[in-house]
Amino acid sequence: VTLYQYDVCPFCNKVKAQLDFLGIAYDVVEVNPLTKSELGFSKEYRKVPIVIVDGEQINDSAVIMREMETRMKKAGLRGRGARPRPGSAAAKKEDEWFAWVDSRFVHVVTPNIYRTWEEAQRSFDYITERGNFNWFMRQAIALSGAASMYVISHRVLKKRHGIEDERAALYEALDDWMQNAVGPKNAFCGGSEPNLADLAVFGVLRAVKTFDTFSDAMENTNAKPWYERMRVEVGEATR
Ligand SMILES: N[C@@H](CCC(=O)N[C@@H](CS)C(=O)NCC(=O)O)C(=O)O
């Protein structure tokens, strides 16, 4: 498995959480977001993540994660995690919250890492440090990226997703997750084992684990015990 990614991209980190959890070995190719020269093989689809599995290209994080499950099954590998019976209440719950990660959660996390000018700069410092750039490109992107994402976040993203206060929206989303997806009686949204929604939320959070956004979220919500359980289940990031 080869994963074409941006290191901090939430969608890519959903996929990585699943691969780590399943113990599937994979290589990553860090894509340069300006040139995207690494994606030369994909003329039509120009986003990340893209995964190549056994020579076959799969696009889009949700499609990739579903496909990984299917392939594990086909290969006769039991894999890990909650596997709800198709059509069951557990399957519906998984679908609903798995979709919520892309429709809501990701969009709540992103404005948080560009909330203040200092946070935007620190985020881009981290992003460019881990990205596929030479020194000159890094300096240029760190500044222009922080400036443009700060402006885009405040002028476009927050309005588009109805966010006034970034942190408040994040805490609210995590409270919703803990109360209605995980619930008071279960260890995970999947029950006693993580399902795809658990892996997706965990991946998105793990991507920002070095940022203030993450530590504030852990301090100001009750998501920490769930996150810690997920950390144990998923294990250390292999990439
Ligand atoms: N629905 C897609 C969304 C992927 C996506 O939006 N990726 C962003 C990076 S976070 C991207 O590649 N944007 C296009 C670009 O950078 O030009 C998925 O879940 O994989």
Side-chain angles (χ1 to χ4, degrees), residues 17 20-21 80-81 93 174 177-195 198-199 201-203 205-206 214 218 221-236:
D20 290 335
F21 176 69
R80 306 176 58 211
K93 185 182 179 192
L174 278 172
W177 167 253
M178 289 309 298
Q179 210 170 337
N180 301 311
V182 178
K185 292 196 207 107
N186 290 323
F188 306 105
C189 177
S192 55
E193 286 183 275
N195 64 13
D198 287 296
L199 291 167
V201 174
F202 175 77
L205 283 175
R206 190 170 69 170
F214 178 83
M218 291 299 111
T221 70
N222 60 359
K224 192 162 189 224
W226 167 83
Y227 184 87
E228 288 302 321
R229 287 194 289 275
M230 283 301 295
R231 219 162 56 87
V232 172
E233 291 287 331
V234 173
E236 287 311 311

Side-chain angles (χ1 to χ4, degrees), residues 3 6 19 41 72 75 134 152 154 181-182 188 190 193 197 225 237:
L3 171 69
Y6 303 149
L19 294 172
F41 62 89
M72 292 285 287
N134 65 38
I152 289 171
H154 285 263
V182 178
F188 306 105
E193 286 183 275

